[in-house]
Amino acid sequence: MSVRAGIIVTGTEVLTGRISDLNGPWLSDQLLKLGVDVAHITICGDRPADLTAQLRFLTEQGVDLIVTSGGLGPTADDLTVPTVAEYCDRELLLDPELEEHIAGVIRRFRPDTPDLDTGPTRIGIRKQAHVPAGATALPPTGTAPGVVIPAVAGERPIPTIVILPGPPGELQAMWPSAVASPAVADVLARADDLQQHTVRAYGLHEAQLAETLRRAESEIAGLERLEITTCLRHGELDMVTRVASGNADIYHRLLDVLTEHHGREIFSTDGSTIDDQLIAALDGRTIATAESCTGGLVAARLTDRPGSSAYVMGGVVSYSDDAKSDLIDVPAEMIAEHGAVSEQVAAAMAEGARRRLKVDVAVSTTGIAGPDGGTEAKPVGTVCFGVAIEGRPTYTVTRRFPGDRERVRTLTTTAALHLVVGQLGRD
């Protein structure tokens, strides 16, 4: 890669796990789209010495760009700007216009703030309005401005450094201004035309994919120029490939090999998810869920995206036997004869949900998520599914999933979506 970057996520609350890091992955994705390879993402607490150590490490790795997030607030533990300024040997200077801009933001959103002119609030504003000499201030999208410090060549080279706020909404809103700043634009001008392609498979084991990739190495000249990573997530296997524009033909040859060997398991070569494909497969039809072991996770997955009210009519969590009978008309004698975890009950659940919620398609899950409740005939991880589609016989299947309770429920949710798409695809 011609241009490399490092990301430093600051904040003791992130380091200790009190909140999850959303900024590192988001920034990495944005940089990749701009042709920049992210070499490292690090997390450090609100300690100047630790931040300085991270800055020194990334500089020694020869990155062209460092992006930090967090530590720009008015409180005493927000020390990113002075720490980076000291590392770059730049004096901090008060920007009076920036100070009044920040005060104006607070005045608009908190007009009753009593100490905007003097007192603790003004002291905090003035702290945020200090900018390293020679740096560019990025207008705040909350109350905290960002900063871009140009690279320095010479005996002690320092890469371009972008300092962004910690709240993800503020950081993402500020990103276009950071990218447009002269110092960052200069770095991006040297970046490759880098593309990222994602192949998604279901029912394919990592070992099988690894064997195919080993074969491809001997069949495809130049395959080493591609950066290929695989990730098993929620029961699906993703293969992400980073490709420079000049190597696109190599990637297409690799894709041909993958589809030749694993065409049945590969369900997406364009990055689309099973959620995307389910919407397309519904093609205007409506859907509902009837869930036992997943406790509403399938409905949550279906309604995760905006606009889902156009096709999701609702869901029933029929966890108990009585709920299955009372809410979606599963005969009590059927449960007594076959057990709640059975394909007969899964079919009745799906059909009952389709009737009760007046939809075209319904999917059901009933199983044993554990850790208790399994038998020799139906061990923990056994799940029965039903897919009821108007005008067709109800489809049922039984699967067994490995892992603890959380994993079984997650794998069941993914499987339910794949089953619906598979059955709709038979139209």
Side-chain angles (χ1 to χ4, degrees), residues 54-303:
Q54 301 291 353
L55 292 167
R56 185 178 299 114
F57 166 74
L58 291 176
T59 300
E60 291 172 352
Q61 298 306 302
V63 300
D64 305 278
L65 179 68
I66 296 175
V67 183
T68 75
S69 73
L72 302 189
T75 58
D77 62 334
D78 292 309
L79 297 170
T80 299
V81 171
T83 301
V84 176
E86 182 178 356
Y87 176 75
C88 297
D89 197 23
R90 292 176 184 256
E91 182 183 4
L92 276 178
L93 303 174
L94 177 65
D95 184 332
E97 291 185 6
L98 183 58
E99 179 182 355
E100 292 311 311
H101 181 89
I102 298 170
V105 171
I106 296 175
R107 190 173 289 113
R108 285 195 303 275
F109 290 100
R110 302 201 304 266
D112 298 329
T113 303
D115 55 349
L116 271 175
D117 296 322
T118 59
T121 297
R122 174 55 66 163
I123 292 173
I125 292 171
R126 188 164 291 126
K127 172 181 179 293
Q128 291 178 294
H130 277 78
V131 178
T136 299
L138 302 174
T141 52
T143 62
V147 175
V148 176
I149 302 177
V152 175
E155 295 183 3
R156 183 177 175 265
I158 296 176
T160 297
I161 301 177
V162 179
I163 305 173
L164 299 174
E170 294 183 26
L171 178 144
Q172 293 174 23
M174 190 178 289
W175 181 245
S177 296
V179 170
S181 65
V184 176
D186 180 65
V187 174
L188 297 178
R190 307 193 302 271
D192 281 332
D193 181 11
L194 192 64
Q195 300 173 351
Q196 178 170 290
H197 301 284
T198 302
V199 172
R200 305 186 194 277
Y202 185 67
L204 178 63
H205 297 293
E206 288 182 287
Q208 294 172 308
L209 177 58
E211 176 61 26
T212 301
L213 291 175
R214 281 193 291 270
R215 293 177 183 175
E217 289 177 358
S218 61
E219 298 174 9
I220 302 174
L223 187 65
E224 71 279 358
R225 300 175 199 166
L226 310 185
E227 182 181 344
I228 302 170
T229 57
T230 60
C231 175
L232 187 61
R233 183 174 56 178
H234 305 316
E236 297 173 347
L237 183 59
D238 291 355
M239 189 189 83
V240 179
T241 306
R242 297 184 180 188
V243 186
S245 58
N247 296 321
D249 59 326
I250 300 174
Y251 174 75
H252 291 306
R253 290 202 293 275
L254 172 62
L255 190 58
D256 289 340
V257 171
L258 292 173
T259 53
E260 177 185 350
H261 287 84
H262 308 297
R264 292 183 60 183
E265 293 84 8
I266 291 174
F267 67 90
S268 171
T269 59
D270 60 1
S272 61
T273 65
I274 193 62
D275 310 67
D276 300 325
Q277 294 182 9
L278 187 144
I279 296 170
L282 284 172
D283 192 24
R285 287 173 284 202
T286 54
I287 189 170
T289 64
E291 302 180 62
S292 183
C293 62
T294 46
L297 293 176
V298 179
R301 182 88 173 257
L302 290 173
T303 57

Side-chain angles (χ1 to χ4, degrees), residues 309-335:
S309 60
Y311 50 89
V312 180
M313 295 299 104
V316 177
V317 178
S318 51
Y319 207 67
S320 70
D321 292 350
D322 288 343
K324 291 177 176 65
S325 298
D326 296 342
L327 298 177
I328 48 178
D329 308 321
V330 179
E333 57 271 21
M334 177 185 289
I335 298 175

Side-chain angles (χ1 to χ4, degrees), residues 329-361:
D329 308 321
V330 179
E333 57 271 21
M334 177 185 289
I335 298 175
E337 179 181 356
H338 300 286
V341 181
S342 62
E343 292 189 20
Q344 292 86 346
V345 169
M349 288 172 64
E351 291 163 0
R354 196 181 69 78
R355 286 193 307 270
R356 285 292 189 109
L357 292 165
K358 299 179 174 61
V359 294
D360 304 302
V361 182

